Amino acid sequence: MTHLSNEQIEQVLQMPEMAPEHLQSCPLCQGRLAEAEAMRSRLRRAFGALQPDDLLAEQVRAGLRRHQPRWWHRIARGSVVRVAAMLVLGVVLLVAVPVAGPWLQPTTAHGAHAELVQIHQANLLPHMELHAGSSPEDVASYFKRELGLEPAMPQLGVGMALRGCCVAYFRDRPVGSYVVESDRGVISVIVLPDSVDSLEMSGTVNRGGRTYRTGTFARSHVAAVEANGYTYAAVGEVEAEWLIELLETALNVEPA
């Protein structure tokens, strides 16, 4: 099954009448579209509520008078104020909200970190439907059926339990993601075909004969390791050390 890419989701937001037939029968893509629509609505409400001060509005008007053609001057003064408000909020969003949605592309330096954290955050949404059951066998069967993947699964117990799994998107390609509940927090493990080096993580931890890469984005830690033909990335608002221990249990490595 081929799910919609981020670009296709954005196209549906702009032109609902052009929605592909796949969307009518796919709960996963319907959920992603609903999340994008909710985010757009929140941004619109924020744009409408923001009011710039008189000085900023006048500076924008003066700039328009200097640089715009005559026809532009016929725009209502209130419209200019709204443009100023949008400019201010745009700056605030760029500074304060590094991950606002799939249509806001993160910087190259943190691109992979941001996408992995987005997947984790989506897994935590109340309406997110996780598939398969709470056993490693169910999750493994789902990945095999939907994606042709046969990833390693963590050993449960010792304060860990599986919530389920889903198909996610990383770099506009479908990947597997399963969610683990632990006594330290909820963690997403994302199974990628990409090499661990392509994630551009600066931290390095050598344990159990493997090299783990670590990074941080938007208060979430990421730890990744390459094994058995896949890269496993664990994401959560817990310390990186605990993410590495979780990956060790999945790969049957004795913790250090």
Side-chain angles (χ1 to χ4, degrees):
M1 178 183 297
T2 302
H3 296 283
L4 301 185
S5 66
N6 289 340
E7 284 75 14
Q8 289 174 308
I9 291 290
E10 177 64 16
Q11 289 172 1
V12 174
L13 285 174
Q14 300 297 330
M15 297 180 290
E17 69 279 4
M18 301 297 291
E21 293 183 5
H22 170 81
L23 189 61
Q24 301 176 7
S25 59
C26 179
L28 174 65
C29 290
Q30 290 170 4
R32 293 172 58 216
L33 178 62
E35 178 188 351
E37 288 176 332
M39 177 63 73
R40 187 171 68 165
S41 295
R42 289 194 292 270
L43 290 176
R44 281 179 171 173
R45 288 196 297 271
F47 281 137
L50 185 63
Q51 296 294 328
D53 60 35
D54 293 340
L55 176 60
L56 175 59
E58 180 53 39
Q59 288 173 340
V60 172
R61 293 190 191 102
L64 291 174
R65 286 195 293 269
R66 287 195 300 270
H67 300 294
Q68 297 298 334
R70 290 181 181 275
W71 60 264
W72 183 262
H73 298 167
R74 292 197 295 269
I75 294 177
R77 290 171 65 87
S79 296
V80 175
V81 172
R82 286 192 293 271
V83 170
M86 293 176 68
L87 291 174
V88 173
L89 183 59
V91 172
V92 171
L93 288 172
L94 288 175
V95 172
V97 188
V99 185
W103 55 93
L104 295 179
Q105 295 300 318
T107 61
T108 303
H110 294 293
H113 302 61
E115 285 198 61
L116 293 170
V117 171
Q118 284 178 342
I119 292 173
H120 173 63
Q121 291 174 340
N123 287 342
L124 303 182
L125 291 174
H127 67 265
M128 182 62 181
E129 181 182 356
L130 295 176
H131 302 278
S134 58
S135 74
E137 294 76 19
D138 290 338
V139 172
S141 176
Y142 178 82
F143 283 160
K144 177 67 174 179
R145 181 175 67 253
E146 296 293 326
L147 296 171
L149 300 177
E150 297 184 74
M153 302 297 298
Q155 301 172 6
L156 301 181
V158 194
M160 291 195 298
L162 274 174
R163 275 192 185 180
C165 64
C166 67
V167 175
Y169 271 79
F170 179 78
R171 292 172 174 167
D172 287 333
R173 292 171 297 169
V175 296
S177 172
Y178 58 84
V179 180
V180 177
E181 290 184 348
S182 75
D183 54 4
R184 304 194 190 186
V186 179
I187 300 167
S188 295
V189 177
I190 303 155
V191 185
L192 309 168
D194 309 67
S195 69
V196 71
D197 289 337
S198 73
L199 303 183
E200 299 180 346
M201 295 185 182
S202 57
T204 301
V205 177
N206 294 307
R207 283 179 46 166
R210 299 186 188 277
T211 299
Y212 296 82
R213 302 296 177 84
T214 61
T216 304
F217 189 86
R219 297 191 305 275
S220 290
H221 293 286
V222 183
V225 65
E226 195 167 341
N228 306 325
Y230 304 109
T231 289
Y232 297 83
V235 187
E237 293 188 17
V238 300
E239 59 272 23
E241 182 74 13
W242 177 241
L243 297 177
I244 292 174
E245 289 184 19
L246 174 62
L247 293 174
E248 286 179 326
T249 69
L251 300 172
N252 295 316
V253 176
E254 187 68 26

